[in-house]
Each structure stands twice: as structure tokens, then as C-alpha cells.
């Protein structure tokens, strides 16, 4: 899962605001209008977008996922097996999008499986984005803890000043940066977040790999598990892997924006994109697990010492990426909630602007307060990843499978009716 599923540069003809708007109801922005206005997305651009949607916050948890799976062999094998379903799900969604002429994930589910499944999908997307926003706040707190600790040369036993307290730093960062970026109706900062997200994740991978090849003497050695304790233990890593590779919600509008919508071409695009993601995730997971063994933290950067300058730069990258990505995830979740509200109240999107502004501010402030409070009292990101990783599995396995079953049943019924 990307740090916000952000956009890419202008060379790929895809503005992040346009992509985020595609996650709203179809009346806001259709893929056909997008192709007409920007000329469509090239295959190379589509690969970049899918990679960018997959890479992100989940990267920090992959060494812990390898530890939970029971070692490097089990972790890589589990990734490869799940990757078959990930790629299959992406192709199935594109096929279903062609069949029902819809260009957003939730509308494809609604068009193929019915209104009940569509509403359930929208609710789960809102819950998923809500949980990811909580994880973003936790990441901010974790990285600021280490950065401020290094600046003040403090240790775990020393007394932390009130202004460096984790809860205070998360609160201030949220008030000063996250909330103001989340309030606007349209988000322009997204266009810069893509480059930061990709650069940040690649830099983290490089740092972990380099530290694995040339380890620092300050890094304690831990036992490296070579095999899982039981075959069931391997599945402990499934939520983290699903969270890392979940790009399906963003992939449907990406497919809809292509110059030429062809299933075989799309299959090649997502295969290349997932191979790139596999290399990044595996490199981080393997090297982080070799470095710290079974003692690796849920966030691999927390396992490094605070005085490591190169790692401190990686922490700063991650903080900036999360600050620009939280508004995007909130924007997508708010758009889904807004679509549900308009649908159930039978209102048109073009209503009174003052009423819309009041509702948007209320939704944003409520969302912000709830995610902030939960992040303050759930300091372990592993618990949040377990929850939203389970929801990611629904987007990867459950809904694509249901769509394929319903589509094939409809085709069989249609063939019988023609006889």
C-alpha cells in the first residue's frame, strides 16, 4: 500500500488530484473524460502509478513480517504465492470494468455484484483509509521519537521533556500540518507527494541493504530463525504482505485511463509493476531480518540506533511522505462517505456550496480527531497493520473473486436465455 496512492509527474499525463477524484462517485470524474482531457496514460506511466500505489508504509513492516513467517525462505515463498492472487485480482478487475463500463473499484463491484455489495465495498474502503490514517499518525510519532532523541542525545532511561513527548509531537504535527492539508476541497500537494513517496521508499530500502552488507558495530545481533515453528505460523505475515501489495482500489481508474484498454497489455503492466514491488519489499524484508533477526521492530527503522545519520535522513523522508499522504487517504475516504451520503439522501452533487463546505469541514475535523486519538492510544503499529491488512485482503481476494463469479454466472444465464 502506497503512502497515499499519490500521482506522478506530468510526463505520464496523470495528475494526482485527477486520480484521487476517480475514487469518488462516477458523477464527479469519469475515466473517459480523463482520457479525453489529458490524452490517456502510457504503459510506462501505468507501471509507475501501480508501483507507486503498492510501495509505501508497508515497506517498514516487511522485516517483521519475515520474522513472523518464520524466516527468509517462508517469507519469500508466501510472497510469491500471494503475488499470483494479487496479479490475478488486478486482471479480473480490469475484465469486470470492461464488462460493466465502470471505472472505479466500488462502482465495478456495484455494477457486477449489485448494490448491496457496492455499499459494503464503499464502507470497507472508508474503514481501510481510516485505519491507514491511524497508521500514518503512529509512523509520525515513531520517527519523531527517534529524531528528537538523537537531537537531544537522550536515552530510553532519560526523562523526556514535555515538548518531546510522543503524544505532544503527534498532536502538534497533526494540528500544524495534517489538518490544514486535509481541509481543502481539492488537494494540490499530491503532485509533489509521488516523487517523495517513491524516493523515500527506495532510500529506506537502500539504507537497509547497505547496513546489512556493512553492519554497524552499534547494531546488536539477534538469532535468525531459519524455519517457521509451524505451518500455521507462516500466515502471521499475510496481513502485512496484503497491506503492502494492495493497489487494487487505485488500479481500476488507472486501467480506465490507459491509451489502449487491452487485458493482455494490462496483465503485462501489472506483472512488471508487481515484480518491481517484489524486489523492493524482498530486499528490505530479507536484509532487515538478517540485520535484526527475531528482535526486529514492527517498524524496521526503529531497530536502528538514533545516532545513525543516514537512517535519520530516511526517517525525515518517511515523515514528509506521511504528512503529504494522510490528506490523500483522507480525501479518498471522505469522497466515499460523501458519495454514500448523497446516495442515501437522494441529493445531487451540485448542491449549495455553503452546505457542502460545512459538511466537508465537519467530516474532516471528525475524521482527524478520531484518527489522532486512536493513534495516541494505540502506539503499536503492528496491531493497526493486522486490521487494515485484513481489509486489504478483501480488496485483493474477496471482491475480485465475487466479481468474477457473478460475471460468469451472468454470462451463462445470458447464453441460456438466447437458446
Amino acid at each position: 500500500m502506497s503512502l497515499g496512492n499519490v500521482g506522478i509527474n506530468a510526463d505520464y499525463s496523470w495528475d494526482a488530484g485527477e486520480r484521487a477524484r476517480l475514487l469518488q462517485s462516477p458523477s464527479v470524474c469519469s475515466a473517459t473524460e480523463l482520457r479525453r482531457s489529458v490524452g490517456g496514460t502510457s504503459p510506462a506511466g501505468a507501471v509507475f502509478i501501480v508501483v507507486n500505489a503498492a510501495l509505501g508504509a508497508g515497506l517498514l513492516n516487511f522485516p517483521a513480517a519475515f520474522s513472523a513467517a518464520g524466516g527468509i525462505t517462508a517469507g519469500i515463498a508466501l510472497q510469491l504465492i500471494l503475488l499470483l492472487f494479487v496479479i490475478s485480482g488486478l486482471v479480473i478487475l480490469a475484465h469486470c470494468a470492461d464488462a460493466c463500463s465502470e471505472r472505479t473499484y466500488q462502482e465495478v463491484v456495484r455494477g457486477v455484484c449489485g448494490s448491496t455489495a457496492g455499499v459494503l465495498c464503499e464502507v470497507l474502503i472508508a474503514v481501510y483509509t481510516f485505519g491507514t490514517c491511524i497508521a500514518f499518525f503512529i509512523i509520525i510519532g515513531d520517527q519523531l521519537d527517534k529524531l528528537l532523541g538523537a537531537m537531544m542525545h537522550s536515552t530510553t532511561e532519560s526523562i523526556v521533556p514535555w515538548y518531546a513527548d510522543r503524544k505532544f509531537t503527534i498532536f502538534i504535527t497533526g494540528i500544524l500540518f495534517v489538518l490544514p492539508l486535509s481541509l481543502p476541497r481539492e488537494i494540490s500537494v499530491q503532485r509533489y507527494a509521488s516523487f517523495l513517496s517513491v524516493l523515500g521508499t527506495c532510500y529506506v530500502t537502500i539504507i537497509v541493504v547497505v547496513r546489512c552488507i556493512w553492519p554497524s558495530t552499534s547494531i546488536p545481533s539477534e538469532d535468525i530463525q531459519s524455519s517457521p515453528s509451524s505451518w500455521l505460523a507462516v500466515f502471521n505475515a499475510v496481513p502485512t504482505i496484503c497491506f503492502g501489495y494492495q493497489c487494487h482500489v487505485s488500479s481500476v481508474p488507472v486501467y480506465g485511463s490507459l491509451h489502449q484498454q487491452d487485458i493482455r497489455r494490462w496483465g503485462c503492466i501489472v506483472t512488471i509493476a508487481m515484480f518491481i514491488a517484489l524486489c523492493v519489499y524482498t530486499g528490505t524484508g530479507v536484509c532487515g531480518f538478517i540485520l535484526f533477526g527475531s528482535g526486529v521492530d514492527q517498524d524496521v527503522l526503529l531497530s536502528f540506533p538514533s545516532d545513525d545519520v543516514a537512517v535519520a535522513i530516511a526517517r525525515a523522508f518517511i515523515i514528509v511522505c506521511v504528512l503529504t499522504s494522510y490528506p490523500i487517504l483522507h480525501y479518498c475516504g471522505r469522497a466515499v462517505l460523501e458519495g454514500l451520503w448523497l446516495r442515501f439522501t437522494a441529493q445531487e452533487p451540485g448542491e449549495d456550496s455553503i452546505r457542502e463546505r460545512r459538511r466537508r469541514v465537519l467530516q474532516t475535523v471528525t475524521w482527524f480527531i478520531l484518527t489522532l486519538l486512536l493513534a495516541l492510544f494505540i502506539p503499536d503499529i503492528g496491531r493497526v497493520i493486522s486490521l487494515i491488512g485484513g481489509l486489504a485482503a478483501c480488496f485483493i481476494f474477496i471482491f475480485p473473486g465475487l466479481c468474477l463469479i457473478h460475471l460468469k454466472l451472468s454470462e451463462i444465464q445470458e447464453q441460456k436465455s438466447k437458446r
Side-chain angles (χ1 to χ4, degrees):
M1 164 62 190
S2 169
L3 286 171
N5 295 344
V6 286
I8 64 174
N9 58 43
D11 293 337
Y12 294 134
S13 302
W14 182 272
D15 179 44
E18 289 164 334
R19 189 170 74 172
R21 283 194 293 275
L22 281 171
L23 293 172
Q24 300 186 62
S25 60
S27 61
V28 179
C29 180
S30 68
T32 304
E33 292 170 347
L34 178 60
R35 289 197 305 274
R36 189 183 301 117
S37 62
V38 298
T41 305
S42 66
V47 169
F48 189 96
I49 296 170
V50 176
V51 170
N52 186 37
L55 294 180
L59 178 77
L60 303 176
N61 304 96
F62 261 73
F66 274 62
S67 177
I72 295 173
T73 303
I76 294 177
L78 182 61
Q79 270 194 102
L80 293 176
I81 293 172
L82 292 178
L83 210 55
L84 294 176
F85 293 95
V86 170
I87 295 174
S88 299
L90 291 168
V91 175
I92 289 170
L93 288 169
H95 176 62
C96 293
D98 283 340
C100 64
S101 300
E102 298 290 354
R103 290 297 175 258
T104 66
Y105 189 100
Q106 60 268 31
E107 292 301 327
V108 167
V109 175
R110 177 183 296 275
V112 176
C113 302
S115 59
T116 303
V119 171
L120 176 61
C121 179
E122 289 178 320
V123 171
L124 290 181
I125 289 176
V127 175
Y128 179 81
T129 54
F130 184 82
T132 307
C133 287
I134 296 173
F136 285 171
F137 269 132
I138 295 175
I139 291 172
I140 290 173
D142 289 342
Q143 307 311 325
L144 283 176
D145 268 355
K146 285 286 188 176
L147 284 176
L148 293 175
M151 292 170 62
M152 296 184 297
H153 305 287
S154 62
T155 62
T156 54
E157 293 81 11
S158 60
I159 299 176
V160 179
W162 63 269
Y163 54 84
D165 180 75
R166 175 192 177 88
K167 293 182 178 179
F168 180 77
T169 55
I170 295 177
F171 174 77
I172 289 298
T173 304
I175 291 293
L176 294 181
F177 298 102
V178 175
L179 183 58
L181 290 173
S182 302
L183 283 172
R185 183 175 183 178
E186 306 294 338
I187 301 176
S188 59
V189 71
Q190 298 171 349
R191 69 188 65 179
Y192 308 108
S194 171
F195 178 74
L196 290 174
S197 178
V198 175
L199 183 61
T201 52
C202 291
Y203 183 79
V204 170
T205 300
I206 292 171
I207 288 298
V208 174
V209 172
V210 169
R211 288 292 182 267
C212 180
I213 299 173
W214 296 288
S216 171
T217 55
S218 58
I219 297 178
S221 59
E222 295 282 350
D223 294 332
I224 299 177
Q225 192 175 357
S226 58
S227 61
S229 56
S230 67
W231 68 273
L232 287 174
V234 177
F235 294 96
N236 292 329
V238 170
T240 299
I241 295 176
C242 288
F243 177 67
Y245 285 101
Q246 196 291 115
C247 55
H248 295 58
V249 176
S250 299
S251 70
V252 179
V254 174
Y255 175 72
S257 71
L258 286 174
H259 282 299
Q260 298 177 351
Q261 294 176 17
D262 178 72
I263 294 297
R264 290 186 179 180
R265 181 189 296 266
W266 176 247
C268 294
I269 288 172
V270 296
T271 301
I272 294 171
M274 290 302 101
F275 177 76
I276 295 172
L278 174 68
C279 293
V280 175
Y281 281 138
T282 302
T284 306
V286 169
C287 293
F289 181 65
I290 292 175
L291 265 176
F292 303 107
S294 58
V296 65
D297 285 294
Q298 287 291 332
D299 181 341
V300 66
L301 292 182
L302 299 183
S303 299
F304 288 95
S306 300
D307 57 356
D308 192 320
V309 177
V311 176
I313 296 173
R315 294 190 179 106
F317 261 125
I318 294 298
I319 291 174
V320 173
C321 291
V322 169
L323 287 177
T324 56
S325 298
Y326 179 105
I328 302 170
L329 264 293
H330 158 260
Y331 182 81
C332 297
R334 188 179 72 196
V336 171
L337 294 177
E338 180 73 3
L340 288 170
W341 169 264
L342 294 176
R343 185 177 294 113
F344 284 109
T345 57
Q347 297 184 35
E348 294 295 331
E351 62 172 337
D352 179 55
S353 60
I354 297 178
R355 184 182 301 175
E356 183 277 331
R357 187 184 305 113
R358 290 175 181 173
R359 188 168 63 250
R360 170 165 43 87
V361 171
L362 177 61
Q363 291 171 347
T364 301
V365 172
T366 303
W367 184 289
F368 171 80
I369 292 175
L370 290 177
T371 54
L372 178 63
L373 289 176
L374 288 171
L376 293 178
F377 295 100
I378 308 177
D380 183 9
I381 193 174
R383 298 179 182 178
V384 180
I385 295 297
S386 297
L387 172 62
I388 57 182
L391 293 177
C394 292
F395 302 131
I396 295 173
F397 309 122
I398 305 299
F399 285 117
L402 286 176
C403 287
L404 183 61
I405 292 172
H406 277 270
L407 186 61
K408 291 305 176 183
L409 289 176
S410 299
E411 291 177 356
I412 293 173
Q413 188 174 3
E414 184 178 354
Q415 289 175 358
K416 289 182 178 179
S417 64
K418 290 180 179 179
R419 292 176 182 176

